[in-house]
């Protein structure tokens, strides 16, 4: 570290871009979005095979900004589809690299976050981290029971941004995240509502696969019996139904667009159907917040609205109208993943928080045996 300044490189790989940022402590020094064309990416057999190509682009970009790699204190990447782990900052280790490379829970660009961080950090002999990946799982046992004995509820949500805004609120009110009870609602392409109980997200809707409110692209919870009928009607392939639920569901299904700004324009122009669908989305978000309030037994310090949709004044006002009797509603629009990654690394570098250890397969088998034992 240089004179008490920690310089962090943050890396957030998306499907067609890699966002990078350099922070001195938590102050942004440089931010760039490196775009990758479909043709460039088509030459790689798998997502993880892209790491050399993406890495050289990152290194070039740093040179271009005259940022010396040797001035870095740590590199922090977006966490990928790993095995379920508690929230926190994790140094990249062999067990994690193995799971990222083989895509333990699926192939996703975020899997490259830990790999790229590790590649760049290893050459400089500095630590590589990931922070709060989407597989963060802190569910309480009752939250796992679905009601259908062949299916268990899973924790998949916007952990990085939910935890970052929860900490921001704690800081702003002079309290510790670990002492608060919060309901955090991330509203982007998917919508997740987390019940944060003393630093753990003890319940949250699975914002990816049919659970909770509908969103700009996802159908959320749908009537199951009717869905079964559609599945076996012979009219649709499996893939088509999956797309109608995830990707082409929600606003997209009803209004043909996932763009909230576009929907708001239609409403302003007097489109009654658009108004009804948009209000229904706010209504469902409010219902999910009500559920989270029940999980926290009504003792809620604040309700936080975040993500891209939180920029919509009318939309957040509508949700607020339903739920402000529960607790104060605070709005932190947008999401700043690079900042959240930098903050996660800094908490560990400054000793404010201890780094967590990503479990090797052996410890996991023991844990699973205990978990199964407790379920039987």
């Amino acid at each position: 570290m240089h004179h008490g300044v920690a310089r962090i490189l943050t890396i957030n790989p998306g499907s067609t871009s890699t966002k990078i940022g350099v922070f001195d402590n938590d102050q942004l020094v440089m931010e760039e979005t490196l775009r990758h064309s479909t043709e460039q990416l088509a030459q790689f057999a798998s997502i993880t095979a892209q790491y050399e190509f993406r890495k050289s682009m990152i290194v070039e970009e740093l040179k271009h900004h005259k940022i010396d790699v040797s001035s870095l204190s740590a590199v922090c990447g977006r966490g990928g589809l790993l095995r379920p782990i508690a929230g926190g900052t994790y140094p990249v280790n062999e067990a994690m690299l193995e799971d990222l490379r083989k895509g333990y829970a699926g192939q996703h660009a975020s899997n490259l976050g830990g790999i790229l961080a590790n590649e760049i950090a290893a050459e400089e002999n500095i630590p590589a981290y990931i922070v709060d990946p989407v597989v963060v799982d802190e569910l309480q046992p009752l939250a796992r029971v679905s009601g259908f004995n062949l299916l268990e509820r899973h924790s998949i949500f916007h952990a990085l941004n939910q935890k970052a805004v929860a900490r921001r609120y704690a800081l702003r009110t002079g309290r510790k995240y670990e002492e608060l009870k919060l309901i955090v609602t991330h509203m982007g392409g998917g919508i997740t509502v987390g019940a944060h109980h003393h630093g753990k997200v003890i319940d949250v809707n699975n914002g990816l696969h049919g659970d909770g409110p509908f969103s700009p692209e996802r159908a959320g919870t749908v009537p199951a019996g009717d869905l079964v009928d559609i599945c076996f009607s012979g009219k649709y392939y499996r893939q088509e139904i999956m797309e109608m639920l995830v990707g082409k569901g929600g606003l997209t299904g009803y209004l043909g667009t996932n763009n909230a700004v576009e929907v708001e324009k239609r409403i302003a122009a007097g489109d009654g159907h658009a108004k009804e669908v948009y209000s229904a989305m706010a209504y469902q978000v409010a219902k999910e917040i009500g559920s989270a309030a029940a999980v926290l037994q009504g003792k809620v310090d604040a309700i936080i609205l975040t993500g891209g949709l939180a920029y919509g004044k009318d939309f957040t006002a509508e949700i607020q109208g339903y739920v402000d009797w529960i607790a104060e509603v605070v709005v932190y629009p947008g999401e700043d993943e690079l900042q959240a990654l930098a903050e996660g690394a800094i908490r560990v570098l400054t000793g404010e928080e201890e780094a967590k250890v990503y479990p090797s397969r052996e410890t996991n088998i023991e844990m699973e045996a205990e978990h199964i034992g407790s379920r039987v």
Side-chain angles (χ1 to χ4, degrees):
M1 282 200 208
H2 307 274
H3 323 295
V5 174
R7 176 168 276 193
I8 320 277
L9 167 65
T10 56
I11 305 172
N12 182 13
S15 49
T16 58
S17 69
T18 307
K19 290 185 181 146
I20 61 169
V22 175
F23 293 81
D24 282 349
N25 294 342
D26 52 5
Q27 294 303 306
L28 182 69
V29 181
M30 167 220 134
E31 183 176 6
E32 284 295 340
T33 300
L34 311 172
R35 308 239 170 245
H36 315 305
S37 70
T38 346
E39 296 77 56
Q40 282 176 316
L41 297 179
Q43 54 187 321
F44 301 104
S46 69
I47 290 175
T48 40
Q50 301 169 8
Y51 85 85
E52 284 283 2
F53 161 72
R54 294 204 195 210
K55 179 190 162 188
S56 59
M57 279 186 77
I58 294 169
V59 173
E60 279 308 303
E61 196 60 36
L62 291 173
K63 277 193 191 131
H64 175 69
H65 283 273
K66 302 199 170 31
I67 289 174
D68 197 340
V69 183
S70 67
S71 70
L72 298 172
S73 318
V75 186
C76 194
R78 180 77 195 261
L81 298 176
L82 293 156
R83 32 189 97 232
I85 49 177
T89 300
Y90 289 78
V92 179
N93 62 13
E94 273 312 310
M96 185 191 295
L97 286 170
E98 190 187 326
D99 284 348
L100 289 172
R101 287 194 191 110
K102 70 167 187 252
Y104 176 83
Q107 292 290 334
H108 190 265
S110 62
N111 289 358
L112 286 162
I115 296 172
L116 289 166
N118 184 65
E119 286 290 319
I120 294 169
E123 288 170 20
E124 297 301 322
N125 224 352
I126 54 175
Y129 300 110
I130 65 159
V131 181
D132 291 332
V134 291
V135 293
V136 163
D137 181 348
E138 300 166 336
L139 296 185
Q140 57 185 1
L142 292 179
R144 296 182 192 283
V145 181
S146 72
F148 181 20
N149 66 330
L150 299 182
L151 305 176
E152 193 174 65
R153 290 188 69 240
H154 294 290
S155 177
I156 294 180
F157 70 111
H158 305 89
L160 185 64
N161 190 48
Q162 281 211 21
K163 295 229 174 207
V165 295
R167 286 177 190 283
R168 189 186 315 169
Y169 172 80
L171 196 65
R172 207 196 76 198
T173 54
R175 285 173 291 177
K176 275 196 156 67
Y177 169 53
E178 289 74 17
E179 292 165 1
L180 293 170
K181 294 183 185 180
L182 302 166
I183 297 171
V184 185
T185 306
H186 177 104
M187 307 183 295
I191 294 177
T192 57
V193 180
H196 294 241
H197 182 279
H198 294 168
K200 288 195 166 33
V201 181
I202 59 171
D203 203 341
V204 61
N205 65 297
N206 177 334
L208 187 61
H209 276 168
D211 188 23
F214 73 84
S215 76
E217 301 172 357
R218 296 173 197 166
T221 302
V222 298
D226 298 343
L227 178 63
V228 172
D229 286 342
I230 288 178
C231 289
F232 287 92
S233 66
K235 286 184 191 163
Y236 305 101
Y237 289 110
R238 178 179 186 273
Q239 194 52 39
E240 287 177 285
I241 290 177
M242 271 319 251
E243 273 180 8
M244 290 192 287
L245 293 174
V246 182
K248 294 180 180 167
L251 289 186
T252 308
Y254 287 110
L255 303 174
T257 178
N258 64 358
N259 184 334
V261 180
E262 159 71 21
V263 175
E264 284 169 359
K265 278 188 190 143
R266 290 190 204 173
I267 293 168
D271 181 335
H273 178 54
K275 172 88 188 84
E276 185 176 55
V277 172
Y278 208 48
S279 287
M281 187 164 75
Y283 174 78
Q284 288 199 2
V285 171
K287 280 170 70 172
E288 196 69 26
I289 290 170
S291 296
V295 169
L296 297 174
Q297 301 177 340
K299 298 176 186 66
V300 182
D301 292 298
I303 295 166
I304 301 173
L305 305 180
T306 182
L309 291 178
Y311 284 112
K313 296 275 188 288
D314 294 346
F315 186 66
T316 52
E318 216 164 317
I319 294 169
Q320 200 163 343
Y322 286 114
V323 301
D324 59 6
W325 57 274
I326 298 169
E328 171 197 20
V329 177
V330 187
V331 183
Y332 288 134
E335 73 179 309
D336 194 341
E337 288 146 325
L338 296 177
Q339 180 84 33
L341 291 171
E343 288 166 1
I346 285 156
R347 284 195 295 275
V348 164
L349 290 173
T350 57
E352 181 193 328
E353 194 180 288
E354 267 188 51
K356 300 262 175 64
V357 180
Y358 186 75
S360 64
R361 211 177 303 127
E362 290 67 43
T363 51
N364 248 63
I365 288 166
E366 282 166 34
M367 279 164 59
E368 272 167 22
E370 273 173 44
H371 183 52
I372 292 161
S374 69
R375 261 192 292 177
V376 173

